[in-house]
Amino acid sequence: DVLRIGPYRSLFAGQAISDIGDGITLLLLLLVINELTGSTAALALMAIVEAVPHFTVGLLAGVYVDRWNRRTVMLAADLLRAGIVLSFAFVATAGILPMLYVLAFAQSSVSTFFRPARGALLPRIIPPEGLPAANSLTQSSQIIGSVIGAGIAGLLYGTFGTGVAGFALDAGTFLVSFAFIARIASSYGRIHAPEHESDQRDVRRSLLEGLAIVRGSRALSGSLIAAAVTMLGLGAVNVLFVPLVVRDLHVHPTWMAGIELAQTSAMILAAGIVAILARRLAPTTIITIGLAGIGVCIGLLAGVSAVWQVIVILFAVGWMVTPLQAMLQTIVQTASTDGTRGRVVSLLQASLSTASVASMAIGGVLGDLIGIRSVYLAAAVIVLVAAGISWILFRGIRARPVTAPAEAT
């Protein structure tokens, strides 16, 4: 149903193309750095460089997304990212390798403007009852795009031995995205005048106002806190997953593709039931159930003894992740006003990134000190605590299934 809406089709098409490009560049950067340095520290540094903007620049990005036309922000971001990615091809050499890190930081910083702008624009295009489905399509697009992009990157790098062709292709995907977003009427990107005018203050005051908005809403604060606490557990799970499978279970690394396929396929299939769930359950209920289910599954992973058990558990996790992520985005979009939505989306992304990076760092240390499986048990407890927090903070909120009529724009 949401794909029948013309502006959303343009937005979704542009995103789907650029998601593939993101998948290409993500893998190409790692392949190029590995080829030039052969250093795991250099690879880890790239991951850090790309993560830092999400909890630094990203906070300020939300302020400006709530001041500028969101469509214009997205168009400018696509053009800038196209130029930056194309520049990767010229600096991917041993002599000027540090420039690759600088450009990667710049690209990630620009992306922190694009994502909240898109999240804030979506409710102007899609009626409230369509937001869960639209957000689940976003999750599916990112997953599929990442897989396709990684496949293309591997093919191009294996064929040409450099990342030039892949970087050029990714730059082209941003231009295609620009063309699709340009088809959306500029009026959708304008912020409602009263809210927009009230936000024309200094950056610090605008940022503090965004924090106050989240604190003043139990739906928003509950979503933000529960999501951040969850990532405190999941970050460690992600960084220790390969050692769990390869070192503890003594499984050949080629099994990782099958394991990844199990969770990815479940996440894509789950996108088809999000709209059905949203008509029957409140978003807050779906979030709490999803967190509890994921916490239990992580606890089960701590006791696996065979790779087939890992595949079954992650297939189950995939069915919970997509509805959970879609409902978090839906709450953020519906519980904030048009003039504050950019800051709220940015705060969510910043809190998730901060918690994830902290969890990965702590998890890597604890994995050696207390063992991988003990870290998994601790992570399971943390995620279950997040489920409890969401249940407590969401209690008393008159949250109903998302079936409200569209707001006039």
Side-chain angles (χ1 to χ4, degrees), residues 72-276:
T72 303
V73 170
M74 295 171 70
L75 291 173
D78 273 340
L79 287 180
L80 287 171
R81 290 188 294 180
I84 293 171
V85 169
L86 189 60
S87 301
F88 286 161
F90 300 99
V91 301
T93 59
I96 52 175
L97 184 61
M99 280 301 300
L100 195 61
Y101 290 94
V102 173
L103 290 174
F105 181 88
Q107 187 213 14
S108 183
S109 297
V110 173
S111 294
T112 64
F113 284 82
F114 184 92
R115 294 189 184 105
R118 185 191 182 282
L121 179 70
L122 195 61
R124 299 292 303 275
I125 295 175
I126 299 292
E129 66 270 20
L131 286 174
N135 286 320
S136 68
L137 281 173
T138 297
Q139 301 302 322
S140 297
S141 172
Q142 291 173 348
I143 297 165
I144 296 172
S146 176
V147 173
I148 295 175
I152 293 174
L155 179 62
L156 292 176
Y157 194 82
T159 302
F160 299 104
T162 70
V164 174
F167 292 137
L169 182 58
D170 187 16
T173 65
F174 285 122
L175 296 179
V176 172
S177 174
F178 176 92
F180 276 112
I181 294 172
R183 298 173 60 184
I184 301 172
S186 180
S187 58
Y188 285 111
R190 295 196 197 104
I191 303 166
H192 288 162
E195 297 168 355
H196 180 55
E197 291 170 358
S198 67
D199 288 337
Q200 297 304 302
R201 309 164 184 153
D202 63 272
V203 172
R204 179 176 174 275
R205 187 173 178 181
S206 294
L207 181 58
L208 291 176
E209 184 180 87
L211 291 169
I213 291 167
V214 172
R215 284 200 308 268
S217 167
R218 288 179 61 191
L220 290 175
S221 59
S223 299
L224 199 73
I225 294 171
V229 173
T230 298
M231 290 312 301
L232 280 176
L234 291 185
V237 169
N238 293 334
V239 79
L240 294 176
F241 184 71
V242 171
L244 173 70
V245 173
V246 177
R247 188 192 309 168
D248 277 28
L249 295 182
H250 306 290
V251 173
H252 194 274
T254 54
W255 273 95
M256 294 302 300
I259 295 171
E260 181 71 21
L261 178 62
Q263 182 171 351
T264 299
S265 59
M267 291 175 68
I268 295 171
L269 291 171
I273 67 169
V274 168
I276 298 173

Side-chain angles (χ1 to χ4, degrees), residues 258-308:
I259 295 171
E260 181 71 21
L261 178 62
Q263 182 171 351
T264 299
S265 59
M267 291 175 68
I268 295 171
L269 291 171
I273 67 169
V274 168
I276 298 173
L277 289 174
R279 287 197 294 267
R280 289 165 172 76
L281 298 172
T284 52
T285 302
I286 295 173
I287 290 172
T288 300
I289 293 174
L291 291 176
I294 292 172
V296 170
C297 287
I298 294 173
L300 292 175
L301 282 174
V304 293
S305 58
V307 69
W308 69 265

Side-chain angles (χ1 to χ4, degrees), residues 58-59 207 210-211 214 224 342-352:
L59 289 174
L207 181 58
L211 291 169
V214 172
L224 199 73
R343 278 166 287 176
V344 174
V345 173
S346 292
L347 284 169
L348 176 63
Q349 293 180 348
S351 62
L352 292 178

Side-chain angles (χ1 to χ4, degrees), residues 371-385:
I372 295 172
R373 293 177 186 266
S374 295
V375 174
Y376 267 59
L377 285 174
V381 172
I382 291 173
V383 177
L384 289 173
V385 168

